[in-house]
Amino acid sequence: MLTITQALVDQIVAHARKDHPDEACGVVAGPAGSDRPERFIPMLNAAMSPTFYEFDSGDLLKLYREMDDRDEEPVIVYHSHTATEAYPSRTDISYANEPGAHYVLVSTADTDSLGDFQFRSYRIVDGVVTEEEITIVETY
């Protein structure tokens, strides 16, 4: 289960809306071993595409060095889908290389008539996708 603050949900959704029609992407870091997302880190989609996201390799290296220096890890890896539901694509699954992370997808397309976005979380380990419950809290 993913436990996340409303403020972080709002930041992730705002980033997805801002970058629309391109996919947005980023990380929420937290203290190593805590499974608690704390620090919102929006990233540039180097692919600048409405159907694909890619972290810039230089930015990603810098981010991992910074997290290492701060004793953090990527608790959430997020990105948006602009025209499809918030479910990992085959490409998303193939690039999922953080088995301990929650993979959050935000869809900015109204694919279910339930509102203007979907916010869903998954665990992706060895190519297996498992959707998980999300608990939104005001504070930890």
mmCIF file of all heavy atoms in Angstrom, residues 1-52:
data_model
loop_
_atom_site.group_PDB
_atom_site.id
_atom_site.type_symbol
_atom_site.label_atom_id
_atom_site.label_comp_id
_atom_site.label_asym_id
_atom_site.label_seq_id
_atom_site.Cartn_x
_atom_site.Cartn_y
_atom_site.Cartn_z
ATOM 1 N N MET A 1 0.836 -1.181 0.000
ATOM 2 C CA MET A 1 0.000 0.000 0.000
ATOM 3 C C MET A 1 0.886 1.252 0.000
ATOM 4 O O MET A 1 1.916 1.284 0.664
ATOM 5 C CB MET A 1 -0.900 0.006 1.244
ATOM 6 C CG MET A 1 -1.728 1.264 1.336
ATOM 7 S SD MET A 1 -2.922 1.287 2.678
ATOM 8 C CE MET A 1 -1.894 1.409 4.083
ATOM 9 N N LEU A 2 0.456 2.250 -0.748
ATOM 10 C CA LEU A 2 1.147 3.535 -0.776
ATOM 11 C C LEU A 2 0.421 4.504 0.153
ATOM 12 O O LEU A 2 -0.789 4.707 0.011
ATOM 13 C CB LEU A 2 1.162 4.105 -2.203
ATOM 14 C CG LEU A 2 1.656 5.544 -2.344
ATOM 15 C CD1 LEU A 2 3.111 5.688 -1.895
ATOM 16 C CD2 LEU A 2 1.491 6.028 -3.787
ATOM 17 N N THR A 3 1.162 5.075 1.081
ATOM 18 C CA THR A 3 0.636 6.156 1.914
ATOM 19 C C THR A 3 1.342 7.425 1.469
ATOM 20 O O THR A 3 2.583 7.470 1.429
ATOM 21 C CB THR A 3 0.889 5.881 3.411
ATOM 22 O OG1 THR A 3 0.244 4.647 3.759
ATOM 23 C CG2 THR A 3 0.325 7.008 4.269
ATOM 24 N N ILE A 4 0.556 8.434 1.114
ATOM 25 C CA ILE A 4 1.094 9.669 0.538
ATOM 26 C C ILE A 4 0.281 10.859 1.033
ATOM 27 O O ILE A 4 -0.922 10.732 1.283
ATOM 28 C CB ILE A 4 1.078 9.580 -1.015
ATOM 29 C CG1 ILE A 4 1.744 10.800 -1.664
ATOM 30 C CG2 ILE A 4 -0.325 9.341 -1.541
ATOM 31 C CD1 ILE A 4 1.952 10.657 -3.167
ATOM 32 N N THR A 5 0.935 12.004 1.161
ATOM 33 C CA THR A 5 0.215 13.201 1.608
ATOM 34 C C THR A 5 -0.578 13.816 0.454
ATOM 35 O O THR A 5 -0.207 13.676 -0.721
ATOM 36 C CB THR A 5 1.175 14.269 2.166
ATOM 37 O OG1 THR A 5 2.044 14.714 1.124
ATOM 38 C CG2 THR A 5 1.964 13.749 3.358
ATOM 39 N N GLN A 6 -1.650 14.510 0.828
ATOM 40 C CA GLN A 6 -2.446 15.212 -0.176
ATOM 41 C C GLN A 6 -1.599 16.238 -0.913
ATOM 42 O O GLN A 6 -1.749 16.425 -2.127
ATOM 43 C CB GLN A 6 -3.655 15.900 0.486
ATOM 44 C CG GLN A 6 -4.578 16.594 -0.502
ATOM 45 C CD GLN A 6 -5.262 15.613 -1.435
ATOM 46 O OE1 GLN A 6 -5.964 14.716 -0.979
ATOM 47 N NE2 GLN A 6 -5.077 15.766 -2.741
ATOM 48 N N ALA A 7 -0.679 16.875 -0.205
ATOM 49 C CA ALA A 7 0.180 17.886 -0.846
ATOM 50 C C ALA A 7 1.023 17.256 -1.965
ATOM 51 O O ALA A 7 1.174 17.855 -3.039
ATOM 52 C CB ALA A 7 1.084 18.546 0.193
ATOM 53 N N LEU A 8 1.561 16.054 -1.734
ATOM 54 C CA LEU A 8 2.348 15.399 -2.781
ATOM 55 C C LEU A 8 1.474 14.964 -3.948
ATOM 56 O O LEU A 8 1.862 15.113 -5.111
ATOM 57 C CB LEU A 8 3.110 14.193 -2.208
ATOM 58 C CG LEU A 8 4.337 14.528 -1.367
ATOM 59 C CD1 LEU A 8 4.849 13.283 -0.648
ATOM 60 C CD2 LEU A 8 5.431 15.146 -2.223
ATOM 61 N N VAL A 9 0.278 14.450 -3.663
ATOM 62 C CA VAL A 9 -0.658 14.108 -4.745
ATOM 63 C C VAL A 9 -0.918 15.345 -5.593
ATOM 64 O O VAL A 9 -0.852 15.299 -6.827
ATOM 65 C CB VAL A 9 -1.983 13.534 -4.188
ATOM 66 C CG1 VAL A 9 -3.026 13.414 -5.291
ATOM 67 C CG2 VAL A 9 -1.752 12.189 -3.519
ATOM 68 N N ASP A 10 -1.193 16.466 -4.929
ATOM 69 C CA ASP A 10 -1.481 17.710 -5.650
ATOM 70 C C ASP A 10 -0.296 18.141 -6.515
ATOM 71 O O ASP A 10 -0.482 18.596 -7.647
ATOM 72 C CB ASP A 10 -1.852 18.825 -4.670
ATOM 73 C CG ASP A 10 -3.176 18.579 -3.954
ATOM 74 O OD1 ASP A 10 -3.958 17.687 -4.383
ATOM 75 O OD2 ASP A 10 -3.416 19.270 -2.944
ATOM 76 N N GLN A 11 0.933 17.986 -6.006
ATOM 77 C CA GLN A 11 2.119 18.376 -6.781
ATOM 78 C C GLN A 11 2.305 17.475 -8.004
ATOM 79 O O GLN A 11 2.625 17.964 -9.092
ATOM 80 C CB GLN A 11 3.369 18.323 -5.896
ATOM 81 C CG GLN A 11 3.433 19.438 -4.876
ATOM 82 C CD GLN A 11 4.659 19.289 -3.989
ATOM 83 O OE1 GLN A 11 4.789 18.331 -3.230
ATOM 84 N NE2 GLN A 11 5.568 20.245 -4.092
ATOM 85 N N ILE A 12 2.103 16.180 -7.828
ATOM 86 C CA ILE A 12 2.257 15.246 -8.951
ATOM 87 C C ILE A 12 1.209 15.531 -10.023
ATOM 88 O O ILE A 12 1.526 15.609 -11.219
ATOM 89 C CB ILE A 12 2.175 13.783 -8.458
ATOM 90 C CG1 ILE A 12 3.399 13.452 -7.592
ATOM 91 C CG2 ILE A 12 2.063 12.817 -9.633
ATOM 92 C CD1 ILE A 12 3.287 12.133 -6.833
ATOM 93 N N VAL A 13 -0.050 15.722 -9.609
ATOM 94 C CA VAL A 13 -1.125 16.005 -10.564
ATOM 95 C C VAL A 13 -0.882 17.345 -11.263
ATOM 96 O O VAL A 13 -1.056 17.460 -12.485
ATOM 97 C CB VAL A 13 -2.502 15.960 -9.873
ATOM 98 C CG1 VAL A 13 -3.602 16.471 -10.797
ATOM 99 C CG2 VAL A 13 -2.816 14.538 -9.407
ATOM 100 N N ALA A 14 -0.442 18.353 -10.518
ATOM 101 C CA ALA A 14 -0.160 19.662 -11.123
ATOM 102 C C ALA A 14 0.953 19.545 -12.168
ATOM 103 O O ALA A 14 0.875 20.172 -13.237
ATOM 104 C CB ALA A 14 0.217 20.674 -10.047
ATOM 105 N N HIS A 15 1.980 18.749 -11.882
ATOM 106 C CA HIS A 15 3.059 18.563 -12.850
ATOM 107 C C HIS A 15 2.529 17.877 -14.110
ATOM 108 O O HIS A 15 2.864 18.273 -15.234
ATOM 109 C CB HIS A 15 4.196 17.757 -12.218
ATOM 110 C CG HIS A 15 5.376 17.586 -13.106
ATOM 111 N ND1 HIS A 15 6.259 16.543 -12.968
ATOM 112 C CD2 HIS A 15 5.834 18.306 -14.166
ATOM 113 C CE1 HIS A 15 7.204 16.641 -13.889
ATOM 114 N NE2 HIS A 15 6.963 17.700 -14.631
ATOM 115 N N ALA A 16 1.692 16.862 -13.930
ATOM 116 C CA ALA A 16 1.113 16.164 -15.085
ATOM 117 C C ALA A 16 0.283 17.119 -15.941
ATOM 118 O O ALA A 16 0.358 17.082 -17.177
ATOM 119 C CB ALA A 16 0.256 14.992 -14.618
ATOM 120 N N ARG A 17 -0.484 17.964 -15.298
ATOM 121 C CA ARG A 17 -1.314 18.929 -16.049
ATOM 122 C C ARG A 17 -0.459 19.980 -16.741
ATOM 123 O O ARG A 17 -0.740 20.386 -17.856
ATOM 124 C CB ARG A 17 -2.317 19.582 -15.105
ATOM 125 C CG ARG A 17 -3.424 18.638 -14.691
ATOM 126 C CD ARG A 17 -4.410 19.314 -13.772
ATOM 127 N NE ARG A 17 -5.585 18.498 -13.595
ATOM 128 C CZ ARG A 17 -6.309 18.476 -12.503
ATOM 129 N NH1 ARG A 17 -5.987 19.244 -11.467
ATOM 130 N NH2 ARG A 17 -7.378 17.712 -12.417
ATOM 131 N N LYS A 18 0.615 20.434 -16.049
ATOM 132 C CA LYS A 18 1.477 21.474 -16.618
ATOM 133 C C LYS A 18 2.184 20.988 -17.878
ATOM 134 O O LYS A 18 2.302 21.720 -18.860
ATOM 135 C CB LYS A 18 2.504 21.919 -15.569
ATOM 136 C CG LYS A 18 3.455 23.021 -16.040
ATOM 137 C CD LYS A 18 4.419 23.434 -14.965
ATOM 138 C CE LYS A 18 5.589 22.522 -14.803
ATOM 139 N NZ LYS A 18 6.524 22.413 -15.898
ATOM 140 N N ASP A 19 2.657 19.738 -17.857
ATOM 141 C CA ASP A 19 3.416 19.216 -18.998
ATOM 142 C C ASP A 19 2.523 18.690 -20.125
ATOM 143 O O ASP A 19 3.020 18.418 -21.216
ATOM 144 C CB ASP A 19 4.376 18.116 -18.554
ATOM 145 C CG ASP A 19 5.619 18.672 -17.878
ATOM 146 O OD1 ASP A 19 5.640 19.874 -17.565
ATOM 147 O OD2 ASP A 19 6.559 17.892 -17.647
ATOM 148 N N HIS A 20 1.226 18.523 -19.855
ATOM 149 C CA HIS A 20 0.290 18.037 -20.879
ATOM 150 C C HIS A 20 0.359 18.970 -22.101
ATOM 151 O O HIS A 20 0.406 20.169 -21.917
ATOM 152 C CB HIS A 20 -1.133 18.024 -20.296
ATOM 153 C CG HIS A 20 -2.140 17.378 -21.183
ATOM 154 N ND1 HIS A 20 -2.382 16.028 -21.167
ATOM 155 C CD2 HIS A 20 -2.943 17.901 -22.130
ATOM 156 C CE1 HIS A 20 -3.317 15.750 -22.059
ATOM 157 N NE2 HIS A 20 -3.665 16.873 -22.655
ATOM 158 N N PRO A 21 0.435 18.522 -23.335
ATOM 159 C CA PRO A 21 0.107 17.178 -23.797
ATOM 160 C C PRO A 21 1.276 16.192 -23.753
ATOM 161 O O PRO A 21 1.093 15.038 -24.123
ATOM 162 C CB PRO A 21 -0.338 17.406 -25.232
ATOM 163 C CG PRO A 21 0.500 18.559 -25.690
ATOM 164 C CD PRO A 21 0.641 19.439 -24.465
ATOM 165 N N ASP A 22 2.477 16.608 -23.314
ATOM 166 C CA ASP A 22 3.573 15.652 -23.165
ATOM 167 C C ASP A 22 3.432 14.935 -21.821
ATOM 168 O O ASP A 22 2.831 15.463 -20.885
ATOM 169 C CB ASP A 22 4.931 16.354 -23.211
ATOM 170 C CG ASP A 22 5.274 16.854 -24.605
ATOM 171 O OD1 ASP A 22 4.710 16.333 -25.587
ATOM 172 O OD2 ASP A 22 6.109 17.772 -24.701
ATOM 173 N N GLU A 23 4.014 13.735 -21.735
ATOM 174 C CA GLU A 23 4.025 13.016 -20.476
ATOM 175 C C GLU A 23 4.968 13.717 -19.510
ATOM 176 O O GLU A 23 6.040 14.177 -19.890
ATOM 177 C CB GLU A 23 4.470 11.563 -20.677
ATOM 178 C CG GLU A 23 3.446 10.719 -21.392
ATOM 179 C CD GLU A 23 3.744 9.224 -21.346
ATOM 180 O OE1 GLU A 23 4.730 8.801 -20.701
ATOM 181 O OE2 GLU A 23 2.965 8.475 -21.968
ATOM 182 N N ALA A 24 4.554 13.794 -18.259
ATOM 183 C CA ALA A 24 5.384 14.323 -17.181
ATOM 184 C C ALA A 24 6.031 13.145 -16.462
ATOM 185 O O ALA A 24 5.506 12.032 -16.493
ATOM 186 C CB ALA A 24 4.535 15.126 -16.206
ATOM 187 N N CYS A 25 7.152 13.404 -15.798
ATOM 188 C CA CYS A 25 7.797 12.331 -15.040
ATOM 189 C C CYS A 25 8.587 12.930 -13.887
ATOM 190 O O CYS A 25 8.966 14.101 -13.913
ATOM 191 C CB CYS A 25 8.703 11.489 -15.930
ATOM 192 S SG CYS A 25 10.012 12.390 -16.794
ATOM 193 N N GLY A 26 8.814 12.087 -12.887
ATOM 194 C CA GLY A 26 9.581 12.543 -11.745
ATOM 195 C C GLY A 26 9.687 11.471 -10.680
ATOM 196 O O GLY A 26 9.271 10.326 -10.875
ATOM 197 N N VAL A 27 10.228 11.892 -9.550
ATOM 198 C CA VAL A 27 10.494 10.994 -8.428
ATOM 199 C C VAL A 27 10.043 11.690 -7.154
ATOM 200 O O VAL A 27 10.082 12.919 -7.055
ATOM 201 C CB VAL A 27 12.011 10.683 -8.350
ATOM 202 C CG1 VAL A 27 12.385 9.954 -7.081
ATOM 203 C CG2 VAL A 27 12.458 9.906 -9.582
ATOM 204 N N VAL A 28 9.600 10.908 -6.188
ATOM 205 C CA VAL A 28 9.417 11.411 -4.830
ATOM 206 C C VAL A 28 10.348 10.581 -3.957
ATOM 207 O O VAL A 28 10.200 9.367 -3.858
ATOM 208 C CB VAL A 28 7.959 11.308 -4.346
ATOM 209 C CG1 VAL A 28 7.835 11.894 -2.942
ATOM 210 C CG2 VAL A 28 7.007 12.020 -5.306
ATOM 211 N N ALA A 29 11.343 11.256 -3.398
ATOM 212 C CA ALA A 29 12.346 10.582 -2.577
ATOM 213 C C ALA A 29 11.893 10.561 -1.120
ATOM 214 O O ALA A 29 11.087 11.383 -0.689
ATOM 215 C CB ALA A 29 13.686 11.299 -2.698
ATOM 216 N N GLY A 30 12.457 9.609 -0.396
ATOM 217 C CA GLY A 30 12.193 9.519 1.029
ATOM 218 C C GLY A 30 13.382 8.903 1.728
ATOM 219 O O GLY A 30 14.292 8.361 1.080
ATOM 220 N N PRO A 31 13.397 8.968 3.055
ATOM 221 C CA PRO A 31 14.505 8.380 3.798
ATOM 222 C C PRO A 31 14.680 6.900 3.444
ATOM 223 O O PRO A 31 13.694 6.165 3.341
ATOM 224 C CB PRO A 31 14.081 8.542 5.262
ATOM 225 C CG PRO A 31 13.105 9.684 5.252
ATOM 226 C CD PRO A 31 12.391 9.582 3.940
ATOM 227 N N ALA A 32 15.908 6.486 3.249
ATOM 228 C CA ALA A 32 16.196 5.099 2.866
ATOM 229 C C ALA A 32 15.563 4.136 3.869
ATOM 230 O O ALA A 32 15.685 4.317 5.078
ATOM 231 C CB ALA A 32 17.699 4.873 2.785
ATOM 232 N N GLY A 33 14.846 3.149 3.339
ATOM 233 C CA GLY A 33 14.229 2.128 4.162
ATOM 234 C C GLY A 33 12.920 2.512 4.818
ATOM 235 O O GLY A 33 12.327 1.703 5.531
ATOM 236 N N SER A 34 12.437 3.720 4.576
ATOM 237 C CA SER A 34 11.227 4.196 5.276
ATOM 238 C C SER A 34 9.926 3.919 4.528
ATOM 239 O O SER A 34 8.866 3.896 5.140
ATOM 240 C CB SER A 34 11.330 5.699 5.521
ATOM 241 O OG SER A 34 11.169 6.410 4.287
ATOM 242 N N ASP A 35 9.982 3.799 3.196
ATOM 243 C CA ASP A 35 8.796 3.702 2.346
ATOM 244 C C ASP A 35 7.872 4.909 2.545
ATOM 245 O O ASP A 35 6.669 4.822 2.397
ATOM 246 C CB ASP A 35 8.034 2.389 2.587
ATOM 247 C CG ASP A 35 7.072 2.063 1.448
ATOM 248 O OD1 ASP A 35 7.430 2.300 0.276
ATOM 249 O OD2 ASP A 35 5.954 1.581 1.727
ATOM 250 N N ARG A 36 8.468 6.070 2.892
ATOM 251 C CA ARG A 36 7.694 7.282 3.137
ATOM 252 C C ARG A 36 8.098 8.367 2.130
ATOM 253 O O ARG A 36 9.172 8.953 2.232
ATOM 254 C CB ARG A 36 7.924 7.778 4.570
ATOM 255 C CG ARG A 36 6.973 8.912 4.955
ATOM 256 C CD ARG A 36 7.143 9.333 6.413
ATOM 257 N NE ARG A 36 8.461 9.912 6.625
ATOM 258 C CZ ARG A 36 9.320 9.520 7.568
ATOM 259 N NH1 ARG A 36 9.022 8.550 8.390
ATOM 260 N NH2 ARG A 36 10.492 10.116 7.677
ATOM 261 N N PRO A 37 7.236 8.633 1.151
ATOM 262 C CA PRO A 37 7.565 9.669 0.162
ATOM 263 C C PRO A 37 7.531 11.056 0.802
ATOM 264 O O PRO A 37 6.567 11.403 1.477
ATOM 265 C CB PRO A 37 6.472 9.517 -0.892
ATOM 266 C CG PRO A 37 5.336 8.829 -0.201
ATOM 267 C CD PRO A 37 5.931 8.022 0.912
ATOM 268 N N GLU A 38 8.608 11.813 0.579
ATOM 269 C CA GLU A 38 8.684 13.129 1.217
ATOM 270 C C GLU A 38 9.073 14.255 0.261
ATOM 271 O O GLU A 38 8.469 15.300 0.277
ATOM 272 C CB GLU A 38 9.687 13.103 2.380
ATOM 273 C CG GLU A 38 9.233 12.267 3.547
ATOM 274 C CD GLU A 38 10.190 12.327 4.729
ATOM 275 O OE1 GLU A 38 11.306 12.892 4.596
ATOM 276 O OE2 GLU A 38 9.818 11.806 5.796
ATOM 277 N N ARG A 39 10.124 14.036 -0.536
ATOM 278 C CA ARG A 39 10.683 15.141 -1.334
ATOM 279 C C ARG A 39 10.305 14.988 -2.802
ATOM 280 O O ARG A 39 10.752 14.076 -3.484
ATOM 281 C CB ARG A 39 12.207 15.186 -1.163
ATOM 282 C CG ARG A 39 12.841 16.425 -1.773
ATOM 283 C CD ARG A 39 14.261 16.603 -1.286
ATOM 284 N NE ARG A 39 15.146 15.531 -1.685
ATOM 285 C CZ ARG A 39 15.949 15.563 -2.762
ATOM 286 N NH1 ARG A 39 15.964 16.612 -3.553
ATOM 287 N NH2 ARG A 39 16.733 14.546 -3.033
ATOM 288 N N PHE A 40 9.471 15.921 -3.272
ATOM 289 C CA PHE A 40 8.976 15.947 -4.654
ATOM 290 C C PHE A 40 10.074 16.453 -5.576
ATOM 291 O O PHE A 40 10.648 17.524 -5.353
ATOM 292 C CB PHE A 40 7.752 16.868 -4.709
ATOM 293 C CG PHE A 40 7.209 17.090 -6.080
ATOM 294 C CD1 PHE A 40 6.575 16.073 -6.770
ATOM 295 C CD2 PHE A 40 7.301 18.335 -6.679
ATOM 296 C CE1 PHE A 40 6.045 16.287 -8.033
ATOM 297 C CE2 PHE A 40 6.773 18.558 -7.939
ATOM 298 C CZ PHE A 40 6.149 17.529 -8.618
ATOM 299 N N ILE A 41 10.380 15.652 -6.626
ATOM 300 C CA ILE A 41 11.448 16.008 -7.559
ATOM 301 C C ILE A 41 10.919 15.863 -8.985
ATOM 302 O O ILE A 41 11.010 14.791 -9.593
ATOM 303 C CB ILE A 41 12.691 15.110 -7.355
ATOM 304 C CG1 ILE A 41 13.110 15.102 -5.887
ATOM 305 C CG2 ILE A 41 13.831 15.568 -8.264
ATOM 306 C CD1 ILE A 41 13.998 13.947 -5.500
ATOM 307 N N PRO A 42 10.323 16.932 -9.534
ATOM 308 C CA PRO A 42 9.876 16.845 -10.926
ATOM 309 C C PRO A 42 11.083 16.791 -11.851
ATOM 310 O O PRO A 42 12.095 17.446 -11.601
ATOM 311 C CB PRO A 42 9.076 18.135 -11.122
ATOM 312 C CG PRO A 42 9.620 19.084 -10.105
ATOM 313 C CD PRO A 42 10.100 18.247 -8.952
ATOM 314 N N MET A 43 10.981 15.978 -12.884
ATOM 315 C CA MET A 43 12.076 15.823 -13.827
ATOM 316 C C MET A 43 11.600 16.261 -15.217
ATOM 317 O O MET A 43 10.399 16.289 -15.488
ATOM 318 C CB MET A 43 12.534 14.367 -13.879
ATOM 319 C CG MET A 43 12.948 13.778 -12.539
ATOM 320 S SD MET A 43 14.579 14.262 -11.983
ATOM 321 C CE MET A 43 15.597 13.272 -13.051
ATOM 322 N N LEU A 44 12.553 16.519 -16.074
ATOM 323 C CA LEU A 44 12.257 16.844 -17.460
ATOM 324 C C LEU A 44 12.078 15.552 -18.244
ATOM 325 O O LEU A 44 12.888 14.626 -18.107
ATOM 326 C CB LEU A 44 13.417 17.647 -18.059
ATOM 327 C CG LEU A 44 13.334 17.930 -19.562
ATOM 328 C CD1 LEU A 44 12.199 18.900 -19.852
ATOM 329 C CD2 LEU A 44 14.654 18.478 -20.057
ATOM 330 N N ASN A 45 11.012 15.471 -19.025
ATOM 331 C CA ASN A 45 10.845 14.344 -19.941
ATOM 332 C C ASN A 45 11.746 14.613 -21.138
ATOM 333 O O ASN A 45 11.420 15.408 -22.017
ATOM 334 C CB ASN A 45 9.385 14.205 -20.373
ATOM 335 C CG ASN A 45 9.171 13.078 -21.364
ATOM 336 O OD1 ASN A 45 10.111 12.443 -21.823
ATOM 337 N ND2 ASN A 45 7.918 12.838 -21.702
ATOM 338 N N ALA A 46 12.888 13.949 -21.165
ATOM 339 C CA ALA A 46 13.858 14.174 -22.243
ATOM 340 C C ALA A 46 13.295 13.790 -23.604
ATOM 341 O O ALA A 46 13.729 14.321 -24.629
ATOM 342 C CB ALA A 46 15.142 13.401 -21.962
ATOM 343 N N ALA A 47 12.301 12.896 -23.633
ATOM 344 C CA ALA A 47 11.687 12.497 -24.906
ATOM 345 C C ALA A 47 10.723 13.558 -25.420
ATOM 346 O O ALA A 47 10.418 13.593 -26.613
ATOM 347 C CB ALA A 47 10.953 11.166 -24.743
ATOM 348 N N MET A 48 10.233 14.422 -24.506
ATOM 349 C CA MET A 48 9.266 15.473 -24.872
ATOM 350 C C MET A 48 8.182 14.907 -25.786
ATOM 351 O O MET A 48 7.950 15.403 -26.874
ATOM 352 C CB MET A 48 9.988 16.668 -25.488
ATOM 353 C CG MET A 48 11.000 17.280 -24.524
ATOM 354 S SD MET A 48 11.935 18.645 -25.205
ATOM 355 C CE MET A 48 10.765 19.955 -24.973
ATOM 356 N N SER A 49 7.526 13.847 -25.295
ATOM 357 C CA SER A 49 6.575 13.098 -26.098
ATOM 358 C C SER A 49 5.249 12.926 -25.361
ATOM 359 O O SER A 49 5.241 12.763 -24.150
ATOM 360 C CB SER A 49 7.168 11.716 -26.408
ATOM 361 O OG SER A 49 6.189 10.841 -26.912
ATOM 362 N N PRO A 50 4.133 12.919 -26.105
ATOM 363 C CA PRO A 50 2.840 12.640 -25.475
ATOM 364 C C PRO A 50 2.596 11.149 -25.250
ATOM 365 O O PRO A 50 1.604 10.784 -24.627
ATOM 366 C CB PRO A 50 1.833 13.213 -26.470
ATOM 367 C CG PRO A 50 2.522 13.177 -27.779
ATOM 368 C CD PRO A 50 3.985 13.356 -27.495
ATOM 369 N N THR A 51 3.486 10.289 -25.722
ATOM 370 C CA THR A 51 3.266 8.844 -25.597
ATOM 371 C C THR A 51 4.412 8.103 -24.923
ATOM 372 O O THR A 51 4.363 6.882 -24.797
ATOM 373 C CB THR A 51 3.041 8.206 -26.985
ATOM 374 O OG1 THR A 51 4.194 8.468 -27.802
ATOM 375 C CG2 THR A 51 1.799 8.761 -27.652
ATOM 376 N N PHE A 52 5.432 8.810 -24.485
ATOM 377 C CA PHE A 52 6.619 8.149 -23.954
ATOM 378 C C PHE A 52 7.335 9.115 -23.019
ATOM 379 O O PHE A 52 7.341 10.317 -23.255
ATOM 380 C CB PHE A 52 7.534 7.764 -25.122
ATOM 381 C CG PHE A 52 8.800 7.069 -24.717
ATOM 382 C CD1 PHE A 52 8.788 5.731 -24.344
ATOM 383 C CD2 PHE A 52 10.008 7.745 -24.726
ATOM 384 C CE1 PHE A 52 9.958 5.083 -23.973
ATOM 385 C CE2 PHE A 52 11.189 7.102 -24.359
ATOM 386 C CZ PHE A 52 11.163 5.766 -23.980
#
